[in-house]
Amino acid sequence: MTRRHWAPAMFVAALCGCASVSPGNPDGSAVVTESPSFVMQLPEGWFVKPVPRRDDRASLTRDGAAVQRWDMDWIRWNAAVRYRGERLRAETLPSDIALQLVAARNDEYGNAWFDVDSVEPLTVAGHDAFRVEYRARQIGGPGRRTVLYGIVGRRGVYVMAFEALETHFFERDIGAFEEFVASLRARRPL
Amino acid sequence: MRHTLAAAVIAGFSCIASADAPDVASGRVAEQDQRLRYISGTFDDAMRASSVVIADGHATAYLQQVLERLFPEHASEMRVAIIRSPEPNAFVAANGSIYVQNAMLARIDTEAQLAYVLAHEGAHYIRRHMAYATLAAKTAGVTGLLASAITGVPLFGALYASTSYEGFAISVERDADMVALERVSAAGYALDNLLAPLWRVAREREYIRGYGRISATDRHLLERLDLAQGLVRGHPAAHRAGETGGERYRSATEAVRMGALEEMLAHREFDPLIVLLGNDAVVESLPPEARYFRGEAYRLRNARGDDDRAYAEYTAVIDRLPTYAPVWRGLGELHMRHRRNDVALAAFETYLDLDPASPDAGFVRYYAARLQAHP
């Protein structure tokens, strides 16, 4: 197996929670997820960090999760939305799902406050999706900005969120994240 | 013998643990107080830096005025700030910085009630309760360890420490309530209905958890309220006519209280919003659009019968304030859920006419386009 074949295979393993060590990404490789079945192009220098016991969640970072992180999460309909206890319902409007996910994420990170700047509909890889942008802060912590995409499918919502320190890192890395989302190709419908 | 010794040691430490009479000024308390004042300064800085403090100069100045009326001799030391939070609470730091959460202000409808909350927090400061509490926690911990060591029962110490500290905390709250009542009365406020905001919080929690399933914190709140109610009833000024300052409170705090409703909705505090805005006194103290938030809470909670309730709230707002844009978006989404596409579309168009640049206008245009394509 050549290096060209190894890198994507490692990422598949990492995203599926099978690899115990996060591989680096010296060449800018493809990220392949099995559930849902997506392929995305990961920019150079980013690391995948699988979430223990969750083969459908992963985080990526370049300088450390406290500085900037991309979170990918596959939430099926009727699943509890993390710590909120509320369930994700297929009949909920996408704009309401967007705000539900933002509230859940803020709960999870213990932010003192958050302000939503925009929430808009769009299409990602042929699927209905939404993009929500917000700012948040913990007591004593620096300001952080987040862009969260939700791709709505028949079985649930695939979430891709980019969160970074408001100063410097958000502006520096948002372009790479947008390219990462734009590179997403669905191998099978969500 | 072993048990007699254990009992004697525990009894000795109990006296220290319950040495809660705040009039006893000891060197240890003063030292602890100094330490906590220093830490509190750092805490204030963190609060300011995290932008959690609401920059409403008018409302803050008003709260400060009420605080100074209650504690004129401490006016130069005590500062009040309003902070963003979906939780109804207020707290004080050891340096006299009082923080009132905007969700607490949303439960209050008169200046007298606000005065009681500020006086309670101010009482913690002037009686140096934080210093006593820190020492009591340390003592309770040491006593617990000793109790476990002597009795040989590991959990006994933890249980002993926690009940001993719990007793202290209750007595401190009662002391603050007593001081608060005296201060509020001395400042000339009416004492009736003083505890209404705290009863509202207790009722919300009862509603959310269901009867018989209240937590320990809620039980303490209910016990404290019963005790405080008794203090108010037995106070010599209980039936004296006093100032309530309803109008003044309402106009000075309207913006922060409306902000609190937004905060609660964003944090998906649907049940508290529904209970809070089910209270006539609270609703009357707010502008007509406040009922929109109850409508949204019903629509988003989406339990059986909630859509009809949401509809009633939205239409009540439209009757009184048809130019309030968000209610049209909510109404459109409600109609769309029930496939009443023509009325949904009309509601969305009204929304976009009223507020074309809102952060969610893109989504509303998307829904409107979908309805036009599939009428």
Side-chain angles (χ1 to χ4, degrees):
Chain A
M1 195 180 257
T2 64
R3 189 179 172 186
R4 190 163 157 249
H5 292 106
W6 267 112
M10 291 277 287
F11 277 107
V12 174
L15 282 176
C16 293
C18 307
S20 57
V21 180
S22 312
N25 178 41
D27 304 330
S29 314
V31 175
V32 182
T33 66
E34 286 305 325
S35 176
S37 189
F38 288 151
V39 183
M40 290 157 268
Q41 203 61 40
L42 189 65
E44 245 177 70
W46 288 76
F47 288 79
V48 179
K49 190 172 177 286
V51 176
R53 294 185 297 280
R54 287 289 304 269
D55 60 4
D56 47 6
R57 282 183 80 177
S59 280
L60 292 85
T61 186
R62 199 180 115 161
D63 306 294
V67 174
Q68 92 279 82
R69 58 188 293 158
W70 299 354
D71 294 320
M72 300 193 286
D73 195 0
W74 168 226
I75 310 171
R76 289 170 181 80
W77 298 128
N78 296 320
V81 182
R82 297 187 191 160
Y83 301 118
R84 265 281 143 184
E86 283 182 345
R87 297 196 173 268
L88 198 69
R89 297 179 184 173
E91 65 272 22
T92 306
L93 292 172
S95 50
D96 290 333
I97 292 175
L99 300 181
Q100 181 181 10
L101 293 173
V102 168
R105 199 175 157 86
N106 276 279
D107 239 27
E108 183 176 359
Y109 290 105
N111 290 325
W113 59 264
F114 65 91
D115 280 330
V116 173
D117 293 322
S118 66
V119 49
E120 51 195 329
L122 51 120
T123 307
V124 175
H127 290 84
D128 282 343
F130 53 80
R131 181 188 187 277
V132 52
E133 190 164 341
Y134 66 92
R135 286 167 292 117
R137 194 178 269 226
Q138 294 174 338
I139 299 283
R144 303 180 77 85
R145 271 174 81 181
T146 301
V147 167
L148 183 147
Y149 281 89
I151 304 166
V152 184
R154 232 173 2 96
R155 290 177 295 142
V157 178
Y158 191 67
V159 178
M160 301 169 81
F162 163 58
E163 182 183 320
L165 295 178
E166 205 166 16
T167 316
H168 179 65
F169 291 95
F170 182 85
E171 290 302 333
R172 193 194 72 180
D173 297 330
I174 182 66
F177 176 70
E178 297 287 10
E179 276 177 30
F180 180 62
V181 176
S183 76
L184 187 145
R185 298 287 173 268
R187 298 194 301 168
R188 283 191 296 277
L190 190 61
Chain B
M1 175 66 193
R2 190 180 168 201
H3 289 103
T4 314
L5 180 65
V9 171
I10 292 164
F13 272 94
S14 294
C15 297
I16 301 167
S18 61
D20 54 12
D23 292 332
V24 183
S26 75
R28 280 178 74 209
V29 171
E31 193 185 319
Q32 191 62 45
D33 192 47
Q34 276 309 111
R35 255 187 237 146
L36 289 174
R37 276 170 191 268
Y38 175 75
I39 297 167
S40 302
T42 316
F43 178 75
D44 285 343
D45 293 342
M47 293 294 272
R48 273 192 295 271
S50 58
S51 319
V52 73
V53 176
I54 296 173
D56 183 328
H58 179 54
T60 309
Y62 167 71
L63 262 67
Q64 183 70 33
Q65 220 171 40
V66 176
L67 180 67
E68 289 176 10
R69 178 171 164 182
L70 294 161
F71 297 95
E73 76 279 28
H74 295 282
S76 60
E77 305 151 45
M78 294 161 89
R79 284 283 165 273
V80 65
I82 305 167
I83 59 171
R84 297 175 62 171
S85 173
E87 287 292 320
N89 209 349
F91 57 93
V92 63
N95 61 354
S97 295
I98 294 176
Y99 293 94
V100 184
Q101 293 168 202
N102 58 350
M104 186 71 237
L105 294 178
R107 269 80 174 178
I108 295 172
D109 57 272
T110 68
E111 186 174 300
Q113 293 166 357
L114 168 70
Y116 186 77
V117 171
L118 292 175
H120 179 93
E121 298 309 322
H124 282 312
Y125 168 70
I126 62 167
R127 308 280 273 187
R128 294 194 282 184
H129 284 164
M130 285 72 73
Y132 279 99
T134 313
L135 290 174
K138 283 181 187 170
T139 310
V142 172
T143 316
L145 278 175
L146 273 169
S148 283
I150 293 164
T151 59
V153 184
L155 279 179
F156 179 74
L159 189 67
Y160 179 80
S162 100
T163 44
S164 139
Y165 185 73
E166 200 174 292
F168 172 82
I170 290 169
S171 70
V172 159
E173 291 303 320
R174 186 176 165 78
D175 187 50
D177 279 332
M178 287 165 72
V179 174
L181 192 57
E182 288 311 318
R183 292 277 172 167
V184 168
S185 164
Y189 288 110
L191 299 190
D192 57 323
N193 230 10
L194 216 50
L195 301 171
L198 297 172
W199 282 114
R200 274 171 205 146
V201 173
R203 260 179 233 119
E204 281 168 29
R205 292 181 180 170
E206 207 167 37
Y207 174 86
I208 294 160
R209 297 186 215 283
Y211 292 93
R213 290 176 57 218
I214 57 171
S215 72
T217 321
D218 299 343
R219 201 177 58 243
H220 284 165
L221 177 63
L222 290 171
E223 280 169 10
R224 190 191 133 196
L225 277 172
D226 276 335
L227 289 171
Q229 195 70 61
L231 290 174
V232 173
R233 273 200 213 104
H235 196 275
H239 304 292
R240 184 197 67 190
E243 201 181 333
T244 51
E247 267 314 305
R248 218 162 36 226
Y249 175 79
R250 287 167 203 178
S251 71
T253 61
E254 187 178 293
V256 283
R257 288 182 298 132
M258 288 299 283
L261 302 183
E262 269 179 48
E263 200 85 26
M264 289 169 74
L265 191 63
H267 284 267
R268 304 179 76 79
E269 298 281 342
F270 303 142
D271 288 339
L273 258 178
I274 287 166
V275 181
L276 175 66
L277 294 173
N279 184 293
D280 291 342
V282 172
V283 173
E284 279 161 23
S285 76
L286 289 162
E289 62 267 32
R291 291 186 67 177
Y292 153 77
F293 292 95
R294 196 169 192 227
E296 282 290 90
Y298 278 130
R299 182 180 70 81
L300 293 165
R301 188 177 72 169
N302 196 16
R304 190 185 294 271
D306 276 354
D307 281 359
D308 291 340
R309 296 180 193 115
Y311 184 78
E313 298 295 329
Y314 291 148
T315 47
V317 176
I318 289 169
D319 284 347
R320 292 185 62 189
L321 196 67
T323 53
Y324 184 64
V327 73
W328 290 102
R329 189 207 15 80
L331 191 64
E333 288 172 345
L334 192 66
H335 283 311
M336 196 163 73
R337 183 187 282 170
H338 293 279
R339 302 188 194 287
R340 296 188 287 258
N341 291 358
D342 48 343
V343 272
L345 183 59
F348 286 143
E349 283 169 348
T350 308
Y351 175 69
L352 292 170
D353 282 346
L354 290 168
D355 191 4
S358 72
D360 59 2
F363 245 118
V364 176
R365 283 193 191 94
Y366 166 76
Y367 292 145
R370 223 167 60 175
L371 292 172
Q372 272 166 339
H374 308 285

